[in-house]
Amino acid sequence: MGIRYLHTMVRVKDLEKSMAFFSLLGLKQTRRSDYEKGRFSLVFMAPEGQEDCPVELTYNWDGDDGLPSDSRHFGHLAYRVPNIYEMCQTLMDNGVTINRPPRDGHMAFVRSPDNISIELLQEGDALPPQEPWASMENTGHW
């Protein structure tokens, strides 16, 4: 299967200060999305010429009491996959728990043996919902 690295997500307590820090490292904002309903912002920053390898800064508007503890900063690694159902089946067949099943045919979360959260995203449009994924419950957290 051909997977492709997408981004690494980190939670930030102060979005402006974090953006300023990453700017000092030479990263520039490549994309920003503000989600009023979820009350959070996602800011993607990458070095010039490496826009396909960004860091995603996730900022919760109402704060995050878990920050600045080290365990709350790192969020997940994300990979685009050609067929999310096939990937999840392969992982499950090899003993990996699907923490957030791809019920929507678009997104799933699993954890590495070291408890690192991995987001899997369907390449292109979401696949039509199918079983067993469509009715599978979440397991644990991601």
Side-chain angles (χ1 to χ4, degrees):
M1 288 187 191
I3 71 169
R4 182 171 187 256
Y5 171 80
L6 294 179
H7 64 265
T8 297
M9 181 274 257
V10 294
R11 289 182 178 82
V12 299
K13 187 170 187 163
D14 184 319
L15 183 58
E16 298 309 314
K17 282 184 180 179
S18 294
M19 290 177 67
F21 170 78
F22 283 99
S23 292
L24 288 172
L25 294 176
L27 281 69
K28 298 182 186 310
Q29 180 178 319
T30 60
R31 186 166 90 233
R32 180 181 180 138
S33 300
D34 297 307
Y35 296 91
E36 182 74 35
K37 185 176 179 182
R39 302 196 46 77
F40 66 95
S41 297
L42 305 178
V43 176
F44 292 81
M45 298 183 72
E48 193 167 326
Q50 298 178 49
E51 292 78 11
D52 58 344
C53 295
V55 62
E56 172 190 324
L57 306 178
T58 298
Y59 173 69
N60 294 311
W61 300 355
D62 300 320
D64 187 332
D65 293 337
L67 295 175
S69 95
D70 288 341
S71 65
R72 285 289 298 150
H73 284 102
F74 178 77
H76 61 263
L77 299 176
Y79 295 94
R80 182 175 13 229
V81 298
N83 185 307
I84 197 159
Y85 296 138
E86 288 178 8
M87 175 61 78
C88 286
Q89 188 65 56
T90 297
L91 293 169
M92 201 164 67
D93 290 348
N94 285 279
V96 175
T97 299
I98 309 299
N99 301 103
R100 193 279 192 195
R103 289 182 293 274
D104 55 5
H106 174 70
M107 177 179 66
F109 276 89
V110 297
R111 286 196 172 257
S112 77
D114 295 304
N115 213 25
I116 295 170
S117 185
I118 309 293
E119 179 182 25
L120 303 172
L121 294 168
Q122 172 61 42
E123 183 175 6
D125 294 335
L127 300 178
Q130 72 180 47
E131 295 299 338
W133 315 108
S135 59
M136 189 179 286
E137 296 291 321
N138 292 342
T139 302
H141 64 281
W142 55 89

